[in-house]
Amino acid sequence: MSSTVGGSAPVTGMGDRLGLKPGMVVQELGWDNDTDDELRIAVEDCIDADMVDGDYGNVVDAVLLWWRDDDGDLVDGLVDALTDLVGGGSIWLLTPKVGRPGTVDAADVAEAAPIAGLSQTTTASVSKDWQATRLVAPKTPA
């Protein structure tokens, strides 16, 4: 069952919706004062742990990458997000929704992902101001 917090979109169960499970290690990159705290709490509740930051230094199961239009080169950001990601893991690229400050054009994501070696699979609304795009490395033949 989902709940609405502070007039925002439902966030309870959002970690499940992002394919996160208890015990997973999730790295959060690009956090700033504009990120959605309710979404962050929902993710940490789902994995039953705190998210780790860029200094973690070990493999992670998933990455939440908060990205705004003025954060620099998206390809570089995505490549950096791959640093600690375990094979088969996902990067959830969190960008402001259209009309919000810092909106990232969908065409920019579609262009940057393959350059960084990633495929775009899913885009979902995750809060009032943020949307998430799931990016994965293409499967390589064994």
Side-chain angles (χ1 to χ4, degrees):
M1 182 169 158
S2 64
S3 63
T4 302
V5 179
S8 65
V11 293
T12 302
M14 190 51 64
D16 293 328
R17 194 165 162 205
L18 297 178
L20 305 176
K21 307 272 182 247
M24 290 181 104
V25 178
V26 177
Q27 185 176 54
E28 180 182 38
L29 303 173
W31 178 91
D32 206 342
N33 60 5
D34 64 345
T35 56
D36 189 293
D37 285 334
E38 286 88 9
L39 176 58
R40 295 178 73 242
I41 290 166
V43 166
E44 290 182 337
D45 286 349
C46 179
I47 64 172
D48 197 28
D50 291 339
M51 289 186 279
V52 299
D53 63 17
D55 296 329
Y56 181 61
N58 207 337
V59 295
V60 298
D61 299 301
V63 175
L64 294 189
L65 175 60
W66 301 92
W67 197 266
R68 302 136 200 97
D69 188 47
D70 60 357
D71 281 347
D73 184 69
L74 181 55
V75 173
D76 289 345
L78 293 172
V79 169
D80 289 346
L82 285 166
T83 302
D84 297 328
L85 189 64
V86 70
S90 300
I91 295 173
W92 283 98
L93 177 65
L94 298 160
T95 56
K97 289 183 176 178
V98 173
R100 307 301 197 282
T103 298
V104 176
D105 192 296
D108 293 341
V109 175
E111 181 180 316
I115 294 171
L118 298 164
S119 296
Q120 183 174 329
T121 64
T122 306
T123 300
S125 175
V126 291
S127 76
K128 184 178 122 213
D129 294 318
W130 293 87
Q131 64 185 7
T133 302
R134 183 174 181 251
L135 303 170
V136 296
K139 299 215 185 303
T140 55

